[in-house]
Amino acid sequence: MLGYNTTPQASPPMSPLRPPPTPRTPGGVGATLDLPLPSPHTPRPAITLTAPPSKKKRRGAARSLRAIRAVRALFRSLPILAPACRFHGVIRAPGGASRMHDGHVSGASRTTGTLFGYRKARVTLAVQETPGSVPILLLELAMQTGRFMQEMGAEHLRVALECEKKPPGVGAGIGRTRLLDEPLWTAYVNGRKIGYAMRREPTEGDLTVMQLLRTVSVGAGVLPTDVMGGDSAEVQDAGDLAYMRARFDRVVGSRDSESFYMLNPDGNNGPELSIFFIRI
């Protein structure tokens, strides 16, 4: 008969329970250090702004405007009979332009104006022919954006920008420089001199602001700082990027004077903003 050994065999010692090593467990195979996740950053939008009209189109429009003015001057020189009654609802705006009951200045062209900037940095004025076009004028004023927005709380805010005429015989292009192409201005806010305003070319940040506001015709608010590169310490110290956009009536008085009058939406009784460009 076959015999079986009934002597108990010693079983191998059991190892203590250990969790399987993971990539984030120190000491495990393929272990890595826990690194902080990068902060979310919204990429800047692609610039799809349309180019302003060419100089040839501007010259053609200027010639047409001069022809219209000549016809108007001819009709004004003819004797007419003044009506006995007076029409109400027409308000005389500063500079001689007449405002209708909806606030629109007769004979003016409609433009889009945007005041923007970081609250602790200088405010910038951008003038566009349409909300989706490249600015035809970008002017940086020697005044903080937060301070300028506070001034907007007043009932009337008038910004006067003055530049000097070049004396005769100085420079090759005398008399050919457009008023809004002047590089340097002396700025006044409600009659108080605040320093200078400088014309500059739009930067990538300026075009990004215009791109973000391309669908906004009238409004005010704050733009997200992450899109504008808000991770940098310099931007964080400058505060939020505030903006105010509105429609403006552009009145060309002469070769040396232009005015912009802000139109309040729906004709409400909001603050009035007027910007005057004068070459003296």
Side-chain angles (χ1 to χ4, degrees), residues 95-111:
S98 60
R99 286 180 178 263
M100 306 303 292
H101 65 279
D102 59 351
H104 178 66
V105 179
S106 61
S109 59
R110 190 68 57 87
T111 58

Side-chain angles (χ1 to χ4, degrees), residues 2-84:
L2 296 174
Y4 295 93
N5 186 7
T6 58
T7 303
Q9 298 293 330
S11 59
M14 299 181 63
S15 60
L17 297 178
R18 282 186 179 182
T22 60
R24 292 185 179 273
T25 303
V29 179
T32 58
L33 296 177
D34 291 334
L35 298 177
L37 296 177
S39 59
H41 181 76
T42 305
R44 290 190 175 187
I47 306 300
T48 60
L49 301 174
T50 59
S54 61
K55 294 182 179 180
K56 293 182 179 179
K57 293 182 179 180
R58 291 180 181 176
R59 291 173 183 174
R63 293 173 183 173
S64 301
L65 184 59
R66 286 196 296 268
I68 294 174
R69 288 178 179 174
V71 173
R72 288 180 179 177
L74 177 61
F75 278 99
R76 288 175 182 173
S77 62
L78 299 176
I80 58 174
L81 297 177

Side-chain angles (χ1 to χ4, degrees), residues 209-223:
V209 173
M210 299 295 104
Q211 180 68 27
L212 293 173
L213 299 178
R214 70 188 184 280
T215 58
V216 178
S217 57
V218 176
V222 177
L223 293 177

Side-chain angles (χ1 to χ4, degrees), residues 223-243:
L223 293 177
T225 55
D226 59 340
V227 181
M228 304 304 301
D231 296 336
S232 62
E234 182 180 357
V235 174
Q236 293 291 343
D237 295 339
D240 299 328
L241 195 150
Y243 73 91

Side-chain angles (χ1 to χ4, degrees), residues 11-273:
S11 59
M14 299 181 63
S15 60
L17 297 178
R18 282 186 179 182
T22 60
R24 292 185 179 273
T25 303
V29 179
T32 58
L33 296 177
D34 291 334
L35 298 177
L37 296 177
S39 59
H41 181 76
T42 305
R44 290 190 175 187
I47 306 300
T48 60
L49 301 174
T50 59
S54 61
K55 294 182 179 180
K56 293 182 179 179
K57 293 182 179 180
R58 291 180 181 176
R59 291 173 183 174
R63 293 173 183 173
S64 301
L65 184 59
R66 286 196 296 268
I68 294 174
R69 288 178 179 174
V71 173
R72 288 180 179 177
L74 177 61
F75 278 99
R76 288 175 182 173
S77 62
L78 299 176
I80 58 174
L81 297 177
C85 60
R86 299 185 62 182
F87 294 96
H88 298 279
V90 178
I91 305 174
R92 301 298 297 179
S98 60
R99 286 180 178 263
M100 306 303 292
H101 65 279
D102 59 351
H104 178 66
V105 179
S106 61
S109 59
R110 190 68 57 87
T111 58
T112 298
T114 308
L115 292 157
F116 67 95
Y118 294 99
R119 294 189 182 276
K120 297 181 181 179
R122 293 183 176 183
V123 63
T124 300
L125 168 65
V127 177
Q128 300 168 276
E129 294 189 348
T130 61
S133 63
V134 177
I136 60 175
L137 172 65
L138 207 65
L139 205 65
E140 184 177 302
L141 282 73
M143 190 175 191
Q144 289 187 355
T145 304
R147 178 67 181 277
F148 190 88
M149 295 303 177
Q150 292 179 356
E151 296 284 348
M152 283 294 299
E155 184 178 359
H156 300 282
L157 182 62
R158 292 177 173 85
V159 179
L161 301 166
E162 297 181 356
C163 69
E164 296 182 357
K165 290 183 181 180
K166 295 181 180 179
V170 177
I174 288 299
R176 297 182 180 179
T177 303
R178 294 175 59 249
L179 180 63
L180 299 185
D181 289 341
E182 292 287 349
L184 190 63
W185 303 80
T186 304
Y188 300 86
V189 174
N190 285 345
R192 185 179 71 257
K193 183 178 180 180
I194 63 170
Y196 295 94
M198 182 178 62
R199 178 189 172 93
R200 59 180 175 83
E201 295 298 325
T203 62
E204 182 181 357
D206 300 326
L207 296 178
T208 301
V209 173
M210 299 295 104
Q211 180 68 27
L212 293 173
L213 299 178
R214 70 188 184 280
T215 58
V216 178
S217 57
V218 176
V222 177
L223 293 177
T225 55
D226 59 340
V227 181
M228 304 304 301
D231 296 336
S232 62
E234 182 180 357
V235 174
Q236 293 291 343
D237 295 339
D240 299 328
L241 195 150
Y243 73 91
M244 188 204 70
R245 168 167 283 194
R247 293 189 179 96
F248 284 78
D249 275 341
R250 179 183 179 183
V251 180
V252 180
S254 65
R255 196 170 189 173
D256 299 321
S257 66
E258 292 190 22
S259 305
F260 291 82
Y261 303 99
M262 186 179 72
L263 301 176
N264 290 314
D266 301 329
N268 58 16
N269 295 324
E272 294 185 4
L273 172 61

